Every structure is written in C-alpha cells, then in structure tokens.
Amino acid sequence: MSSAEETKLFKKMQKRLNNLAKLNPYYKDEDSKDVAEVLERSGFSRRDFMKWAAVMTAAIGLPASFAPLTLKAAELANRVPVIWLHMAECTGCSESLLRTEDPGIDSIIFDLISLEYHETVMAAAGHQAEKSLHDAMKNYYGRYVLMVEGGIPKDEYFLTIGAQGRTGAQEAREAAKGAAAILAIGTCSSFGGVQAANPNPTNAQPLSKMIDKPVINVPGCPPSEKNIVGNLINYILLGSLPALDSFNRPKWAYQHRIHDLCERRGHFDAGEFVEHFGDENAKNGFCLYKVGCKGPYTFNNCSKLRFNSHTNWPVGAGHGCIGCSEPDFWDTMSPFEEPLGNRLYSTAYAGFGADKTADTAGIVLLAITVIGIAAHAVASSVTKSK
Ligand code: FSX
Ligand code: SF4
Ligand code: F3S
C-alpha cells in the first residue's frame, strides 16, 4: 500500500467507526456494557488491550499505525449484531473460540458482542430460542453478521432443527437474506468438511453452494480464535468483503503456506526428519513431513498465530498438519500420518473436481510441489545415510 492509499483507507475506516459509535450498543446486561471495562475486570490492563490491538492489526494485514482503529473496532464490536447458526458439525469451531481454559482477549470480545443467537452459549432453549432467532433476524434485518458453522445436507431431511421440523438449509437461506455479511466458520461450512467426505451420505454442501449471496470462508477444523475474531474486526473496520483467494478465504489469514513459516522448516531444509513418532528425531523437534505433515500443501496462519491465545499449534505439539483448512482434506490429505508424496498425485487430488478450472494452475503447482518435496525428502535421507 502506498502512503496515499494508507491515508485514504485510514480515513475510510475512521469514518465507519464514527458512524458505528453513533448507534446504540447491543449488550446482554449492564455489566457487559463497556468492552474495555469488562476486559479490565477480567484482569487485562489497558496496556494488554493495546498490545492485543497491535497483534491483531498485524494479523489482519494492516500497517502498525492502524492499531488505534483496531482497538476502537473492538470497543464498538457491540454495535454489530451477530447471528451464529449450527448446521452439521462437531461444535469444535465454537469450542475453539469460547472454551479456552484461560479466555484470552479474543474470546472475551466475542462473548461480549451482541451475539443475538448461538445455540451453544445462549441461555434460552426450545420455543424461546427459536423466537430470539426470528426476532433478531427481523429487528436487525440488513445489519447483522451471519456466522454459520457446519456443512448443510442438500438432502435436507438429514438436518432438521427445532419444533417446526424446519431444515438446516431453510434456516440458513432465511438468515442469509437479511445479513450484511456472511461468514462460513470452519471447514465444514466453507467446504463441506467431515460429513461431505466420501461417500458423503447426506450430500452435505458448503454454505456458499446453498445460498445465493457472497460468503467469506474461514476454514480450519477448527479455525483459530484469531481467524474468527480477526474476520469480525476486519468487517467492523471495512464494512465490506476483504481481499479473498480463489477459495474465498481472506488473504490476510490464508495467503501463506503452513510450511513457509513453520518453526521446523530449518530441519526440513537440512533433511532432518522424524522417521517414527517417539523416535530421537521427534525428541529433537525435527520436521514431520515423513510422518504425514501436509504443511507444504496447506494455506493458513497457524504457524504464525497459533491457537489458545498463542499457546501452541498442531506441529508445535508434535503432530503434522493434516491440511484441515483445505477443501476436501478428509479425502485428499489422508492417511494423515503418511506423506502425500508416497501416493500418486492424480489419486490424491481427484477430489478437487473438474469444475474448479480457475484453480487448475494452483493444482498443477501443487503437483509439482508434491513431487519436489517427496524428492527432497528421499534425496536428503540418501545423503544422510551415506
Ligand atoms: Fe467441528 Fe466446526 Fe471441524 Fe467442522 O469446526 S472442528 S467438524 S470444521 O464445523 O465444529
Ligand atoms: Fe513444518 Fe510440516 Fe513443513 Fe516440516 S513439512 S517444515 S513440520 S510444515
Ligand atoms: Fe489445521 Fe494444519 Fe493448522 S491441521 S490447524 S491447518 S496446522
């Protein structure tokens, strides 16, 4: 971004935040009125909040000078009503965000925003819950952010919700109508996920194939709390879609490969691999490629931002990346503890389908990468054993 573009964007965001500030906050009770105050009560100082804003600003790809805007956006998060729907999934995406043992600033902000409907965390149940969903859709028509977790069975009777026997697909379509922005949270909602894995008995589909409005995909099984909250903050700041990749994933989070920023990368380059889980090389933190790491073919920021308030991430914990933010990863990336290069590329990537012509170039590149990486692993073991 040139400095003139930066100034223009800064002013645009500032204007949007000023307009949001004029709206009445939606809050659950008097105690949760002021985000900054609640954070302080939870043991976070203003300085922690500012540090969080600096990290989030960098994470969403904005210059450091935008940190005060990120801070303001978090404070104004309760001006944007959110409806979160559950479809076919394991609730891991909600867990990722809300159930950390030691809730970080991300979880607290999310908990404080106007979460008008979220089956897992709302107090209401049954008819009362259904009523709050329909009231929220009516009262905030055209203004709410819709977040959907889970794949949606196209054979609709496989997912019925509530007393009226409505289907998940009906609910998603209806909620999408009045949404100002729509986020598919998790790989299930973004690409179908585990229930869409071969043979996909319920004919589960991504949200984007079940509604006719643009969807921002936030994949990961589950996505990190930073990617969930970061997308919300980004929307509050921008009020429009962020730059997306060919799978409609925000570029700020999904433009780099896991492999490119991995802490074990030096071992990969040096040809130092874990051969079996638990061996000496594993204890030395060597590269996990030969025990199945799919980091070279997976685009996400886990290696940089980690999970649970930056505590750790799969590769840090000693297991390879399983490619959970890529389309059809259950079929294309498994078996998860074997290198992809051991199998024929054509079998491994058959699942991407012929309709993805726009991504053919990427897939060809991926094929070359698979071959290149497998060759590197073999060559380096030969050199080592010599
Ligand atoms: Fe689970 Fe969410 Fe995976 Fe899916 O996560 S963690 S199966 S992406 O929809 O609940
Ligand atoms: Fe890291 Fe996996 Fe790449 Fe090895 S193959 S450097 S463990 S991402
Ligand atoms: Fe998923 Fe790989 Fe990150 S398995 S959580 S994309 S390290």
Side-chain angles (χ1 to χ4, degrees), residues 86-123:
H86 285 273
M87 299 288 143
E89 33 80 12
C90 78
T91 309
C93 306
S94 300
E95 294 275 341
S96 165
L97 183 62
L98 301 167
R99 307 286 169 154
T100 53
E101 197 166 309
D102 178 19
I105 294 183
D106 296 296
S107 332
I108 293 175
I109 289 172
F110 199 81
D111 199 26
L112 281 181
I113 59 173
S114 177
L115 203 49
E116 292 299 324
Y117 184 83
H118 186 301
E119 285 153 18
T120 324
V121 294
M122 66 199 293

Side-chain angles (χ1 to χ4, degrees), residues 258-260 262-266 268 273 286-289 293-296 313 315 320-321:
I258 295 286
H259 188 59
D260 294 335
C262 177
E263 63 223 24
R264 297 182 191 235
R265 179 59 188 264
F268 174 89
F273 296 99
F286 284 5
C287 168
L288 298 159
Y289 174 77
C293 182
K294 306 301 185 301
W313 66 296
V315 169
C321 165

